[in-house]
Amino acid sequence: MHRRGTSTLTSARYTNNNDVERDTSSTSTTTRQSNNNIDNETVLHQMTGGRRAFFQYGISSSIAAMTISSSPQKANAASSKKQPIPTLGSSAPPFSLINTKGQTTTLDTLTADKKWTILYFYPGAFTSGCTLEAQKFQQSLPQFQENNAQIVGVSVDDVTKNAEFCTSEKLDFFMLTDTNGEVSKAYGTSLSVPMVGTFSNRQTYIIDPEKKIRWVFKDVESNIPTHAEDVLAKLKELQTV
């Protein structure tokens, strides 16, 4: 695959590390009940249009729900928590998750054969951005394999949905199901939206055979069409250091 730019360009397009903030909001019981018909799939489509639109959707929904509440309630203030992303060179957080083949996958099993791991988190299977991202990784898979690397996706979708997604897109790599979002939190990718739920932010980690985090791509949403290409270029660069 021909690179359209250099590793310098890749670094410029992505924020490096340690400065991400995630917004989480809490709402009253009355608020949740008055807006319990939100379609999660619609919200995920909002997410694929960009995190700003996604958060605006969540905030607007919360405001609308509080407005139509049948009785005045003291609204809980939106809370903001910084979920730290593991620093470069630190050990990748361990995990044990079920993959789309129904098997348990751990960080240890992924690195047992001394391969590099491209661990990418995505909001939801079958949404437009996640589909495009998976397709691009599939197209580049032979090049990753030539460079001793494997692709592994992670989302909060259940095993069945992730398996159907892999079959539908003819993916030769598997997805992991992070049911409670605990692994997403450990990697600093968790997104929580009031009255909707918790999802994985679109972020990608390059983990070396020694289980060290060597690079983090945070602004993937703005670079989905070229993301797989960018990750491959950065992988090659890191392997020569």
Side-chain angles (χ1 to χ4, degrees), residues 30-45:
T30 303
T31 299
R32 289 196 300 272
Q33 292 174 342
S34 65
N35 201 42
N36 59 7
N37 62 343
I38 289 180
D39 184 345
N40 286 1
E41 197 69 23
T42 300
V43 175
L44 287 176
H45 278 291

Side-chain angles (χ1 to χ4, degrees), residues 142-164:
Q143 287 90 345
F144 280 103
Q145 292 173 335
E146 288 172 5
N147 287 275
N148 192 38
Q150 57 195 332
I151 307 293
V152 180
V154 183
S155 78
V156 299
D157 289 328
D158 60 41
V159 175
T160 299
K161 185 175 182 179
N162 273 333
E164 290 173 349

Side-chain angles (χ1 to χ4, degrees), residues 45-145:
H45 278 291
Q46 289 283 341
M47 183 184 293
T48 61
R51 288 188 297 277
R52 179 176 298 179
F54 179 59
F55 283 124
Q56 288 175 341
Y57 179 89
I59 293 171
S60 298
S61 298
S62 300
I63 293 174
M66 286 187 283
T67 301
I68 64 175
S69 180
S70 58
S71 59
Q73 299 288 330
K74 181 178 179 180
N76 293 331
S79 62
S80 177
K81 290 184 178 180
K82 178 178 288 187
Q83 295 179 335
I85 291 176
T87 57
L88 298 185
S90 66
S91 297
F95 55 80
S96 178
L97 299 173
I98 303 298
N99 64 33
T100 45
K101 298 178 181 180
Q103 303 166 335
T104 299
T105 296
T106 68
L107 183 61
D108 288 338
T109 59
L110 287 175
T111 57
D113 53 3
K114 298 302 179 181
K115 286 184 179 179
W116 290 65
T117 301
I118 310 303
L119 191 70
Y120 83 94
F121 292 79
Y122 63 97
F126 294 107
T127 55
S128 58
C130 297
T131 299
L132 177 60
E133 185 178 21
Q135 290 172 344
K136 292 297 184 180
F137 272 126
Q138 175 63 32
Q139 291 169 12
S140 299
L141 186 59
Q143 287 90 345
F144 280 103
Q145 292 173 335

Side-chain angles (χ1 to χ4, degrees), residues 133-205:
E133 185 178 21
Q135 290 172 344
K136 292 297 184 180
F137 272 126
Q138 175 63 32
Q139 291 169 12
S140 299
L141 186 59
Q143 287 90 345
F144 280 103
Q145 292 173 335
E146 288 172 5
N147 287 275
N148 192 38
Q150 57 195 332
I151 307 293
V152 180
V154 183
S155 78
V156 299
D157 289 328
D158 60 41
V159 175
T160 299
K161 185 175 182 179
N162 273 333
E164 290 173 349
F165 184 49
C166 288
T167 300
S168 174
E169 297 305 320
K170 298 179 174 61
L171 303 179
D172 294 320
F173 54 89
F174 56 71
M175 308 300 195
L176 303 179
T177 292
D178 184 21
T179 304
N180 298 316
E182 293 302 318
V183 176
S184 298
K185 292 176 183 177
Y187 279 80
T189 73
S190 180
L191 285 176
S192 295
V193 177
M195 302 165 293
V196 176
T198 299
F199 306 96
S200 298
N201 192 14
R202 200 185 304 284
Q203 293 175 191
T204 299
Y205 299 76

Side-chain angles (χ1 to χ4, degrees), residues 15 17-20 51 85 202-203 216-220:
T15 306
N17 205 49
N18 300 332
D19 60 353
V20 142
R51 288 188 297 277
I85 291 176
R202 200 185 304 284
Q203 293 175 191
V216 182
F217 291 86
K218 294 194 295 188
D219 189 20
V220 179

